[in-house]
mmCIF file of all heavy atoms in Angstrom:
data_model
loop_
_atom_site.group_PDB
_atom_site.id
_atom_site.type_symbol
_atom_site.label_atom_id
_atom_site.label_comp_id
_atom_site.label_asym_id
_atom_site.label_seq_id
_atom_site.Cartn_x
_atom_site.Cartn_y
_atom_site.Cartn_z
ATOM 1 N N LYS A 82 78.047 -45.153 89.237
ATOM 2 C CA LYS A 82 78.108 -45.245 87.782
ATOM 3 C C LYS A 82 77.687 -43.954 87.096
ATOM 4 O O LYS A 82 78.273 -43.559 86.069
ATOM 5 C CB LYS A 82 77.225 -46.399 87.302
ATOM 6 C CG LYS A 82 77.268 -46.621 85.799
ATOM 7 C CD LYS A 82 76.549 -47.899 85.407
ATOM 8 C CE LYS A 82 76.679 -48.160 83.909
ATOM 9 N NZ LYS A 82 76.050 -49.457 83.521
ATOM 10 N N TYR A 83 76.672 -43.273 87.663
ATOM 11 C CA TYR A 83 76.072 -42.158 86.930
ATOM 12 C C TYR A 83 76.316 -40.770 87.517
ATOM 13 O O TYR A 83 76.037 -39.769 86.859
ATOM 14 C CB TYR A 83 74.568 -42.395 86.790
ATOM 15 C CG TYR A 83 74.267 -43.556 85.875
ATOM 16 C CD1 TYR A 83 73.749 -44.741 86.374
ATOM 17 C CD2 TYR A 83 74.521 -43.468 84.508
ATOM 18 C CE1 TYR A 83 73.486 -45.816 85.535
ATOM 19 C CE2 TYR A 83 74.262 -44.542 83.663
ATOM 20 C CZ TYR A 83 73.745 -45.709 84.182
ATOM 21 O OH TYR A 83 73.493 -46.774 83.343
ATOM 22 N N LYS A 84 76.840 -40.696 88.730
ATOM 23 C CA LYS A 84 77.058 -39.375 89.340
ATOM 24 C C LYS A 84 77.999 -38.523 88.492
ATOM 25 O O LYS A 84 77.715 -37.353 88.228
ATOM 26 C CB LYS A 84 77.609 -39.543 90.755
ATOM 27 C CG LYS A 84 77.904 -38.237 91.467
ATOM 28 C CD LYS A 84 78.047 -38.434 92.966
ATOM 29 C CE LYS A 84 79.045 -39.517 93.328
ATOM 30 N NZ LYS A 84 79.118 -39.743 94.781
ATOM 31 N N GLU A 85 79.105 -39.116 88.070
ATOM 32 C CA GLU A 85 80.077 -38.367 87.273
ATOM 33 C C GLU A 85 79.580 -38.092 85.862
ATOM 34 O O GLU A 85 80.124 -37.238 85.158
ATOM 35 C CB GLU A 85 81.407 -39.124 87.224
ATOM 36 C CG GLU A 85 82.072 -39.298 88.579
ATOM 37 C CD GLU A 85 82.301 -37.975 89.295
ATOM 38 O OE1 GLU A 85 82.702 -37.012 88.617
ATOM 39 O OE2 GLU A 85 82.068 -37.911 90.515
ATOM 40 N N LYS A 86 78.544 -38.798 85.439
ATOM 41 C CA LYS A 86 77.964 -38.582 84.113
ATOM 42 C C LYS A 86 76.824 -37.567 84.162
ATOM 43 O O LYS A 86 76.223 -37.268 83.132
ATOM 44 C CB LYS A 86 77.467 -39.905 83.536
ATOM 45 C CG LYS A 86 78.579 -40.918 83.297
ATOM 46 C CD LYS A 86 78.033 -42.230 82.731
ATOM 47 C CE LYS A 86 79.150 -43.237 82.517
ATOM 48 N NZ LYS A 86 78.644 -44.514 81.950
ATOM 49 N N GLY A 87 76.515 -37.081 85.379
ATOM 50 C CA GLY A 87 75.515 -36.024 85.494
ATOM 51 C C GLY A 87 74.184 -36.435 86.076
ATOM 52 O O GLY A 87 73.266 -35.613 86.162
ATOM 53 N N PHE A 88 74.060 -37.704 86.493
ATOM 54 C CA PHE A 88 72.804 -38.174 87.087
ATOM 55 C C PHE A 88 73.074 -38.778 88.468
ATOM 56 O O PHE A 88 73.113 -39.998 88.634
ATOM 57 C CB PHE A 88 72.131 -39.216 86.188
ATOM 58 C CG PHE A 88 71.338 -38.629 85.060
ATOM 59 C CD1 PHE A 88 71.961 -38.253 83.883
ATOM 60 C CD2 PHE A 88 69.962 -38.444 85.170
ATOM 61 C CE1 PHE A 88 71.242 -37.700 82.827
ATOM 62 C CE2 PHE A 88 69.237 -37.899 84.123
ATOM 63 C CZ PHE A 88 69.872 -37.515 82.949
ATOM 64 N N PRO A 89 73.259 -37.940 89.493
ATOM 65 C CA PRO A 89 73.493 -38.461 90.837
ATOM 66 C C PRO A 89 72.224 -39.033 91.467
ATOM 67 O O PRO A 89 71.118 -38.668 91.097
ATOM 68 C CB PRO A 89 73.954 -37.218 91.603
ATOM 69 C CG PRO A 89 73.258 -36.093 90.901
ATOM 70 C CD PRO A 89 73.233 -36.466 89.450
ATOM 71 N N VAL A 90 72.436 -39.939 92.402
ATOM 72 C CA VAL A 90 71.337 -40.469 93.207
ATOM 73 C C VAL A 90 71.026 -39.500 94.341
ATOM 74 O O VAL A 90 71.933 -38.965 94.987
ATOM 75 C CB VAL A 90 71.699 -41.854 93.786
ATOM 76 C CG1 VAL A 90 70.744 -42.240 94.920
ATOM 77 C CG2 VAL A 90 71.675 -42.924 92.697
ATOM 78 N N ILE A 91 69.740 -39.278 94.575
ATOM 79 C CA ILE A 91 69.261 -38.534 95.741
ATOM 80 C C ILE A 91 68.277 -39.463 96.446
ATOM 81 O O ILE A 91 67.194 -39.735 95.928
ATOM 82 C CB ILE A 91 68.548 -37.222 95.350
ATOM 83 C CG1 ILE A 91 69.431 -36.346 94.457
ATOM 84 C CG2 ILE A 91 68.101 -36.485 96.595
ATOM 85 C CD1 ILE A 91 70.654 -35.787 95.126
ATOM 86 N N ALA A 92 68.660 -39.977 97.613
ATOM 87 C CA ALA A 92 67.796 -40.904 98.346
ATOM 88 C C ALA A 92 66.999 -40.152 99.398
ATOM 89 O O ALA A 92 67.525 -39.250 100.066
ATOM 90 C CB ALA A 92 68.630 -41.996 99.000
ATOM 91 N N ILE A 93 65.736 -40.527 99.544
ATOM 92 C CA ILE A 93 64.835 -39.865 100.496
ATOM 93 C C ILE A 93 64.115 -40.915 101.324
ATOM 94 O O ILE A 93 63.513 -41.848 100.765
ATOM 95 C CB ILE A 93 63.797 -38.991 99.765
ATOM 96 C CG1 ILE A 93 64.479 -37.924 98.902
ATOM 97 C CG2 ILE A 93 62.837 -38.336 100.770
ATOM 98 C CD1 ILE A 93 63.515 -37.137 98.023
ATOM 99 N N ASN A 94 64.164 -40.764 102.635
ATOM 100 C CA ASN A 94 63.376 -41.629 103.524
ATOM 101 C C ASN A 94 62.023 -40.962 103.784
ATOM 102 O O ASN A 94 61.964 -39.941 104.470
ATOM 103 C CB ASN A 94 64.115 -41.842 104.848
ATOM 104 C CG ASN A 94 63.276 -42.606 105.873
ATOM 105 O OD1 ASN A 94 62.262 -43.217 105.531
ATOM 106 N ND2 ASN A 94 63.692 -42.568 107.117
#
Side-chain angles (χ1 to χ4, degrees):
K82 183 171 184 176
Y83 292 110
K84 179 163 53 183
E85 297 304 319
K86 296 180 181 181
F88 278 83
V90 164
I91 306 293
I93 302 173
N94 174 15

